[in-house]
Amino acid sequence: MTGSRVAALGHYQPERVLTNDELATMVETNDEWIQSRVGIRERRIAAPDEQVDEMAWRAADKAVANAGIDTSEIDYVVVATCTAIDRSPNMAARVAARLGLGNPAAIDLNTACSGFAYALATADQAIRAGAATKALVIGVEKLSDWTDWTDRTTCVLIGDGAGAAVLVASDEPEVGPVVWGSVPEMSDAVRIEGRDGPFAQEGLSVFRWATTQLPEIAKQVCAKAGLKPEDLGGVVLHQANLRIIEPLAKRLGAVNAVVAKDVVESGNTSAASIPIALSKLVEKREIPSGAPVLLFGFGGGLSYAGQVIRCP
């Protein structure tokens, strides 16, 4: 096979909805302040006993069902997360066990908010190299476990959830070349350090980098895929901040694209944000099947990664 394609997607979000008004009873903030700065209206928060591997499994199970394949066919599982508490077994092995898979390669990957794009690229390359034929790619986070709920600069941002994609070998490549990298001098810009965290970030530094540097990198992703920004049918960026997403899509020149704005109702779900947002757009058929979609994640490290896929 010469490449891979996304066969199907799935997502899972916890039942509990945490609104801005409810947050205002916990810390000094209000709905207007939050929406004006980051565009978030509400987010989903996992129950105390709802763990990372459970959310990952639920999203993966939905993606596999949507793909219409037998679980025995999956030979590669990669989970992108930065919020798993256990060091071993990894989340990929636990998801494989929950799904009753055969003997897949199972790895976890941690580049925080760029994790799903990184994981998708590694799965695509494994298929291109002949090391896999059908891969399960999952982004999942339970950021609520690592949040200081007295810090209004961070607790208003986060959400929990999982998104998954089934990637299969294809004679016609539908996952474009990845453009990835990092900014080592900003490695401490987003942090969850030690055994207890909490999540912290230099929000202004990340905002400045994303709004000034990211548009040109995103254009490189399109060029590697042999496309112009105006050819895009969809743009799904890491759902960090609506004030980053909207200007970036405009500066990119993706004038014909549907731009994902799931951050409004899901908050920042780190590695889960791209697959959740994309899965929702596909589920609602807001992007036509076969249309080129730019995926681009950025976050802890400071790491970034992006590729253009064809919408399933």
Side-chain angles (χ1 to χ4, degrees), residues 219 222 227-235 249-258 292:
K219 289 177 183 178
C222 294
L227 297 168
K228 298 177 181 179
E230 55 264 35
D231 298 327
L232 294 170
V235 172
K250 185 175 181 179
R251 287 189 60 188
L252 178 61
V255 293
N256 300 310
V258 173

PDB file of all heavy atoms in Angstrom, residues 219 222 227-235 249-258 292:
ATOM      1  N   LYS A 219       0.382  26.808   6.334  1.00  0.00           N
ATOM      2  CA  LYS A 219       0.489  26.921   4.875  1.00  0.00           C
ATOM      3  C   LYS A 219       1.469  25.886   4.324  1.00  0.00           C
ATOM      4  O   LYS A 219       1.271  25.351   3.224  1.00  0.00           O
ATOM      5  CB  LYS A 219       0.925  28.334   4.479  1.00  0.00           C
ATOM      6  CG  LYS A 219      -0.154  29.389   4.684  1.00  0.00           C
ATOM      7  CD  LYS A 219       0.354  30.780   4.347  1.00  0.00           C
ATOM      8  CE  LYS A 219      -0.716  31.836   4.616  1.00  0.00           C
ATOM      9  NZ  LYS A 219      -0.227  33.216   4.325  1.00  0.00           N
ATOM     10  N   CYS A 222      -0.354  22.601   3.951  1.00  0.00           N
ATOM     11  CA  CYS A 222      -1.155  22.585   2.725  1.00  0.00           C
ATOM     12  C   CYS A 222      -0.270  22.361   1.499  1.00  0.00           C
ATOM     13  O   CYS A 222      -0.606  21.564   0.608  1.00  0.00           O
ATOM     14  CB  CYS A 222      -1.927  23.897   2.580  1.00  0.00           C
ATOM     15  SG  CYS A 222      -3.191  24.160   3.833  1.00  0.00           S
ATOM     16  N   LEU A 227      -1.879  21.360  -1.993  1.00  0.00           N
ATOM     17  CA  LEU A 227      -3.105  22.135  -1.991  1.00  0.00           C
ATOM     18  C   LEU A 227      -2.832  23.590  -1.633  1.00  0.00           C
ATOM     19  O   LEU A 227      -1.808  23.913  -1.031  1.00  0.00           O
ATOM     20  CB  LEU A 227      -4.088  21.569  -0.961  1.00  0.00           C
ATOM     21  CG  LEU A 227      -4.602  20.150  -1.168  1.00  0.00           C
ATOM     22  CD1 LEU A 227      -5.321  19.673   0.078  1.00  0.00           C
ATOM     23  CD2 LEU A 227      -5.521  20.078  -2.375  1.00  0.00           C
ATOM     24  N   LYS A 228      -3.777  24.440  -1.965  1.00  0.00           N
ATOM     25  CA  LYS A 228      -3.782  25.815  -1.506  1.00  0.00           C
ATOM     26  C   LYS A 228      -4.814  25.945  -0.391  1.00  0.00           C
ATOM     27  O   LYS A 228      -5.776  25.178  -0.350  1.00  0.00           O
ATOM     28  CB  LYS A 228      -4.131  26.761  -2.659  1.00  0.00           C
ATOM     29  CG  LYS A 228      -3.127  26.737  -3.802  1.00  0.00           C
ATOM     30  CD  LYS A 228      -3.584  27.646  -4.928  1.00  0.00           C
ATOM     31  CE  LYS A 228      -2.598  27.612  -6.091  1.00  0.00           C
ATOM     32  NZ  LYS A 228      -3.052  28.476  -7.222  1.00  0.00           N
ATOM     33  N   PRO A 229      -4.623  26.878   0.520  1.00  0.00           N
ATOM     34  CA  PRO A 229      -5.592  27.027   1.619  1.00  0.00           C
ATOM     35  C   PRO A 229      -7.034  27.159   1.146  1.00  0.00           C
ATOM     36  O   PRO A 229      -7.950  26.658   1.797  1.00  0.00           O
ATOM     37  CB  PRO A 229      -5.117  28.284   2.338  1.00  0.00           C
ATOM     38  CG  PRO A 229      -3.640  28.307   2.090  1.00  0.00           C
ATOM     39  CD  PRO A 229      -3.475  27.795   0.694  1.00  0.00           C
ATOM     40  N   GLU A 230      -7.234  27.825   0.011  1.00  0.00           N
ATOM     41  CA  GLU A 230      -8.608  27.994  -0.476  1.00  0.00           C
ATOM     42  C   GLU A 230      -9.227  26.690  -0.974  1.00  0.00           C
ATOM     43  O   GLU A 230     -10.441  26.615  -1.198  1.00  0.00           O
ATOM     44  CB  GLU A 230      -8.667  29.059  -1.579  1.00  0.00           C
ATOM     45  CG  GLU A 230      -7.729  28.805  -2.745  1.00  0.00           C
ATOM     46  CD  GLU A 230      -6.409  29.542  -2.618  1.00  0.00           C
ATOM     47  OE1 GLU A 230      -5.923  29.691  -1.473  1.00  0.00           O
ATOM     48  OE2 GLU A 230      -5.885  29.987  -3.656  1.00  0.00           O
ATOM     49  N   ASP A 231      -8.398  25.634  -1.139  1.00  0.00           N
ATOM     50  CA  ASP A 231      -8.909  24.325  -1.553  1.00  0.00           C
ATOM     51  C   ASP A 231      -9.508  23.547  -0.383  1.00  0.00           C
ATOM     52  O   ASP A 231     -10.213  22.547  -0.591  1.00  0.00           O
ATOM     53  CB  ASP A 231      -7.793  23.473  -2.166  1.00  0.00           C
ATOM     54  CG  ASP A 231      -7.200  24.077  -3.428  1.00  0.00           C
ATOM     55  OD1 ASP A 231      -7.961  24.738  -4.164  1.00  0.00           O
ATOM     56  OD2 ASP A 231      -5.993  23.900  -3.668  1.00  0.00           O
ATOM     57  N   LEU A 232      -9.214  23.979   0.833  1.00  0.00           N
ATOM     58  CA  LEU A 232      -9.642  23.226   2.007  1.00  0.00           C
ATOM     59  C   LEU A 232     -11.157  23.280   2.192  1.00  0.00           C
ATOM     60  O   LEU A 232     -11.781  24.319   2.038  1.00  0.00           O
ATOM     61  CB  LEU A 232      -8.974  23.784   3.261  1.00  0.00           C
ATOM     62  CG  LEU A 232      -7.448  23.631   3.352  1.00  0.00           C
ATOM     63  CD1 LEU A 232      -6.911  24.438   4.531  1.00  0.00           C
ATOM     64  CD2 LEU A 232      -7.059  22.162   3.477  1.00  0.00           C
ATOM     65  N   GLY A 233     -11.713  22.105   2.562  1.00  0.00           N
ATOM     66  CA  GLY A 233     -13.131  22.047   2.890  1.00  0.00           C
ATOM     67  C   GLY A 233     -13.371  22.173   4.377  1.00  0.00           C
ATOM     68  O   GLY A 233     -14.495  22.417   4.819  1.00  0.00           O
ATOM     69  N   GLY A 234     -12.309  21.977   5.172  1.00  0.00           N
ATOM     70  CA  GLY A 234     -12.440  22.067   6.615  1.00  0.00           C
ATOM     71  C   GLY A 234     -11.118  22.416   7.262  1.00  0.00           C
ATOM     72  O   GLY A 234     -10.043  22.093   6.729  1.00  0.00           O
ATOM     73  N   VAL A 235     -11.185  23.079   8.398  1.00  0.00           N
ATOM     74  CA  VAL A 235     -10.008  23.407   9.197  1.00  0.00           C
ATOM     75  C   VAL A 235     -10.321  23.015  10.637  1.00  0.00           C
ATOM     76  O   VAL A 235     -11.260  23.552  11.235  1.00  0.00           O
ATOM     77  CB  VAL A 235      -9.648  24.902   9.123  1.00  0.00           C
ATOM     78  CG1 VAL A 235      -8.536  25.237  10.118  1.00  0.00           C
ATOM     79  CG2 VAL A 235      -9.225  25.293   7.717  1.00  0.00           C
ATOM     80  N   ALA A 249      -7.521  30.989  11.045  1.00  0.00           N
ATOM     81  CA  ALA A 249      -8.193  30.504   9.835  1.00  0.00           C
ATOM     82  C   ALA A 249      -8.288  31.616   8.796  1.00  0.00           C
ATOM     83  O   ALA A 249      -8.124  31.374   7.592  1.00  0.00           O
ATOM     84  CB  ALA A 249      -9.578  29.981  10.194  1.00  0.00           C
ATOM     85  N   LYS A 250      -8.509  32.850   9.273  1.00  0.00           N
ATOM     86  CA  LYS A 250      -8.597  33.982   8.355  1.00  0.00           C
ATOM     87  C   LYS A 250      -7.244  34.282   7.728  1.00  0.00           C
ATOM     88  O   LYS A 250      -7.145  34.483   6.507  1.00  0.00           O
ATOM     89  CB  LYS A 250      -9.115  35.208   9.112  1.00  0.00           C
ATOM     90  CG  LYS A 250      -9.367  36.414   8.230  1.00  0.00           C
ATOM     91  CD  LYS A 250      -9.987  37.556   9.020  1.00  0.00           C
ATOM     92  CE  LYS A 250     -10.265  38.755   8.122  1.00  0.00           C
ATOM     93  NZ  LYS A 250     -10.905  39.866   8.890  1.00  0.00           N
ATOM     94  N   ARG A 251      -6.185  34.277   8.542  1.00  0.00           N
ATOM     95  CA  ARG A 251      -4.849  34.563   8.028  1.00  0.00           C
ATOM     96  C   ARG A 251      -4.348  33.463   7.107  1.00  0.00           C
ATOM     97  O   ARG A 251      -3.580  33.704   6.184  1.00  0.00           O
ATOM     98  CB  ARG A 251      -3.858  34.747   9.178  1.00  0.00           C
ATOM     99  CG  ARG A 251      -4.035  36.051   9.938  1.00  0.00           C
ATOM    100  CD  ARG A 251      -2.898  36.272  10.900  1.00  0.00           C
ATOM    101  NE  ARG A 251      -1.612  36.344  10.217  1.00  0.00           N
ATOM    102  CZ  ARG A 251      -0.436  36.382  10.829  1.00  0.00           C
ATOM    103  NH1 ARG A 251      -0.395  36.347  12.154  1.00  0.00           N
ATOM    104  NH2 ARG A 251       0.678  36.448  10.138  1.00  0.00           N
ATOM    105  N   LEU A 252      -4.802  32.249   7.353  1.00  0.00           N
ATOM    106  CA  LEU A 252      -4.428  31.124   6.497  1.00  0.00           C
ATOM    107  C   LEU A 252      -5.010  31.287   5.106  1.00  0.00           C
ATOM    108  O   LEU A 252      -4.402  30.855   4.120  1.00  0.00           O
ATOM    109  CB  LEU A 252      -4.910  29.817   7.136  1.00  0.00           C
ATOM    110  CG  LEU A 252      -4.668  28.522   6.374  1.00  0.00           C
ATOM    111  CD1 LEU A 252      -3.178  28.290   6.155  1.00  0.00           C
ATOM    112  CD2 LEU A 252      -5.295  27.351   7.123  1.00  0.00           C
ATOM    113  N   GLY A 253      -6.165  31.897   5.000  1.00  0.00           N
ATOM    114  CA  GLY A 253      -6.810  32.073   3.703  1.00  0.00           C
ATOM    115  C   GLY A 253      -7.712  30.917   3.324  1.00  0.00           C
ATOM    116  O   GLY A 253      -7.987  30.700   2.142  1.00  0.00           O
ATOM    117  N   ALA A 254      -8.200  30.191   4.337  1.00  0.00           N
ATOM    118  CA  ALA A 254      -9.095  29.052   4.081  1.00  0.00           C
ATOM    119  C   ALA A 254     -10.524  29.569   3.934  1.00  0.00           C
ATOM    120  O   ALA A 254     -11.404  29.306   4.762  1.00  0.00           O
ATOM    121  CB  ALA A 254      -8.983  28.042   5.214  1.00  0.00           C
ATOM    122  N   VAL A 255     -10.763  30.298   2.857  1.00  0.00           N
ATOM    123  CA  VAL A 255     -12.012  31.041   2.693  1.00  0.00           C
ATOM    124  C   VAL A 255     -13.218  30.144   2.433  1.00  0.00           C
ATOM    125  O   VAL A 255     -14.369  30.559   2.638  1.00  0.00           O
ATOM    126  CB  VAL A 255     -11.878  32.076   1.551  1.00  0.00           C
ATOM    127  CG1 VAL A 255     -10.890  33.167   1.933  1.00  0.00           C
ATOM    128  CG2 VAL A 255     -11.452  31.396   0.246  1.00  0.00           C
ATOM    129  N   ASN A 256     -12.973  28.913   1.980  1.00  0.00           N
ATOM    130  CA  ASN A 256     -14.085  28.012   1.649  1.00  0.00           C
ATOM    131  C   ASN A 256     -14.266  26.899   2.677  1.00  0.00           C
ATOM    132  O   ASN A 256     -15.066  25.984   2.461  1.00  0.00           O
ATOM    133  CB  ASN A 256     -13.859  27.397   0.267  1.00  0.00           C
ATOM    134  CG  ASN A 256     -13.776  28.444  -0.822  1.00  0.00           C
ATOM    135  OD1 ASN A 256     -14.635  29.316  -0.913  1.00  0.00           O
ATOM    136  ND2 ASN A 256     -12.734  28.387  -1.647  1.00  0.00           N
ATOM    137  N   ALA A 257     -13.538  26.974   3.773  1.00  0.00           N
ATOM    138  CA  ALA A 257     -13.519  25.878   4.734  1.00  0.00           C
ATOM    139  C   ALA A 257     -14.500  26.078   5.874  1.00  0.00           C
ATOM    140  O   ALA A 257     -14.736  27.206   6.329  1.00  0.00           O
ATOM    141  CB  ALA A 257     -12.104  25.719   5.309  1.00  0.00           C
ATOM    142  N   VAL A 258     -15.048  24.960   6.342  1.00  0.00           N
ATOM    143  CA  VAL A 258     -15.783  24.947   7.597  1.00  0.00           C
ATOM    144  C   VAL A 258     -14.737  24.924   8.716  1.00  0.00           C
ATOM    145  O   VAL A 258     -13.865  24.051   8.733  1.00  0.00           O
ATOM    146  CB  VAL A 258     -16.695  23.709   7.697  1.00  0.00           C
ATOM    147  CG1 VAL A 258     -17.334  23.623   9.079  1.00  0.00           C
ATOM    148  CG2 VAL A 258     -17.761  23.747   6.607  1.00  0.00           C
ATOM    149  N   PRO A 292     -10.840  17.915   1.473  1.00  0.00           N
ATOM    150  CA  PRO A 292      -9.584  18.022   2.230  1.00  0.00           C
ATOM    151  C   PRO A 292      -9.780  18.829   3.507  1.00  0.00           C
ATOM    152  O   PRO A 292     -10.421  19.885   3.492  1.00  0.00           O
ATOM    153  CB  PRO A 292      -8.642  18.743   1.259  1.00  0.00           C
ATOM    154  CG  PRO A 292      -9.536  19.484   0.331  1.00  0.00           C
ATOM    155  CD  PRO A 292     -10.805  18.698   0.224  1.00  0.00           C
TER     156      PRO A 292
END
